Structures are given as structure tokens and as C-alpha cells.
Amino acid sequence: RVGCPGSRVLKSLGEQRMDLREAEQWLLHLGSCSPCFIEYTAFQKQVARRKTLELVLASAALIVIVGLAGWLWKGGWFRGTGGKPNIATVMPYQKVTVDLRNRIVFRGEQLPSANSGAIQLPRGRLDVTILLPKGSGPGNYEVQVSTELEKSLITTTGMAVDQNGITALRAKLDISNLSPGGYVVAIGGAGRERREYPLVMK
């Protein structure tokens, strides 16, 4: 092999990393030197196999990404419905005020009043301010939502404070998972009278 370029040059040729003007003289040499041509061809095959492997790996990664995205979409991570919602899709608390000062007690010893309709609340995550009946003192209260058959569904607690002679109880109430319809909401606590009112979920 007289005047052969050597393996480093042949590898550069096979990987197409050499300038075309510089490669021209060696390409002419390959046409007349069988050993150099065989070695050059081997480098070309290595490059082709590497590119094929890279393509296969890229395709496999794409399939995994598409499959994962489909699974997350089906589970509701992107849409916020079904499955476990991600943090970005959780609805904020909606402020709602409920006035019970003149409302009838559904079960209890107080006499009915003119304001005897059911409490109406929207479904969702509610930051509720409840204006309690006269005689209700400040302190901790328990708010419970149940079916009319007294099956408890949701229980939360809140603190009532005196605001210019009005006892206002504030509590966080998440009723987003309840179906529209009729319920009972009970308000009371340790050492306090338990009052129950009809509730309509819209």
C-alpha cells in the first residue's frame, strides 16, 4: 500500500468530515487501491449503522412521549376533568355569604319564621361566611352537609367572630363533588345547639 492516506484520513472520508477539495485526491486513490477502498467502505457502514441507531432511539423516545401524553390526557391532568387534576386546574375558592339570622331551623326547638326557604349554594369550592342566628356566640363551629337520611357527606370547621353585633362564621366548604339536589346542612359544635337547615345544591 504505497502512498495510502492512512486510517485517520479514510475515517474522515467515510464520515464525510473532510473538505471536498482535499478529499478529491484521496477519492481518486480509492479507485485504484482495493485495501483502502475496503477500509473506507467499512467506515461508511459504521456511520450508516450509527445513524440508523440514532433514528431508532429517536423514534422510540417519540412513541414514549406520545403515549405518556395520551395517558395524562385520558387521566385529566391537562383538562382538569377526571383522574387527579394538576395544581394549575384546581378551581379557587368562591366567596359566598349565607344569612341565617331569620331563617327557619329545619330540625330543632325554634319556631318557623317567614324566611323558611332552603339555602341555595352553587357547587364548587366555597369560602362561606355564615351570619348565625341571634344568640349564637363566637368560637369554633362545625359545618356538616348530609343527605336527608342523615348520611354525612362533608364536615368542616370554622371560627365565628362578632362583627358589630352580628356573629359571622367563616369556613371553607368544598362541595364540588356533590351532585345537584337536596341536602341538609347542620351547624353546631361542642356545647352548642345544633341547627339544621334544608340545602339545595345548584
Side-chain angles (χ1 to χ4, degrees):
R1 296 179 64 177
V2 179
C4 294
S7 296
R8 186 173 61 84
V9 174
L10 293 173
K11 184 176 181 181
S12 297
L13 285 171
E15 295 177 348
Q16 298 181 350
R17 293 188 288 107
M18 184 177 292
D19 182 79
L20 184 59
R21 287 175 297 180
E22 182 182 355
E24 186 176 359
Q25 60 174 316
W26 301 118
L27 291 175
L28 292 174
H29 174 81
L30 293 177
S32 59
C33 181
S34 178
C36 286
F37 181 77
I38 293 173
E39 188 173 355
Y40 162 76
T41 303
F43 285 126
Q44 277 191 321
K45 290 180 179 179
Q46 287 180 4
V47 172
R49 284 196 297 269
R50 186 165 60 245
K51 289 182 178 180
T52 300
L53 179 60
E54 291 174 352
L55 180 60
V56 170
L57 292 176
S59 299
L62 180 60
I63 292 172
V64 171
I65 292 173
V66 171
L68 179 60
W71 178 79
L72 291 175
W73 177 266
K74 185 177 180 180
W77 287 81
F78 296 147
R79 296 171 294 168
T81 56
K84 297 181 179 179
N86 60 24
I87 296 175
T89 62
V90 173
M91 296 298 292
Y93 280 92
Q94 176 184 351
K95 290 185 178 295
V96 176
T97 300
V98 176
D99 191 348
L100 300 180
R101 289 175 294 177
N102 297 310
R103 191 175 292 271
I104 184 175
V105 177
F106 189 54
R107 299 187 183 93
E109 299 177 356
Q110 292 189 2
L111 296 176
S113 68
N115 188 6
S116 58
I119 299 170
Q120 296 192 23
L121 290 176
R123 292 174 63 216
R125 291 156 58 86
L126 306 180
D127 184 354
V128 186
T129 298
I130 303 173
L131 306 182
L132 297 176
K134 293 180 181 180
S136 302
N140 292 317
Y141 282 81
E142 182 181 88
V143 180
Q144 184 181 78
V145 176
S146 61
T147 64
E148 294 182 355
L149 299 177
E150 299 185 351
K151 179 182 178 182
S152 178
L153 300 174
I154 294 174
T155 300
T156 186
T157 58
M159 174 68 70
V161 297
D162 183 89
Q163 296 180 350
N164 299 321
I166 299 173
T167 304
L169 167 64
R170 186 171 180 180
K172 296 291 181 65
L173 190 62
D174 187 351
I175 53 177
S176 57
N177 292 326
L178 298 185
S179 301
Y183 298 88
V184 175
V185 58
I187 302 173
R192 302 183 186 278
E193 180 185 1
R194 178 184 171 93
R195 295 184 172 94
E196 298 183 357
Y197 305 86
L199 170 66
V200 173
M201 202 83 65
K202 297 186 289 184

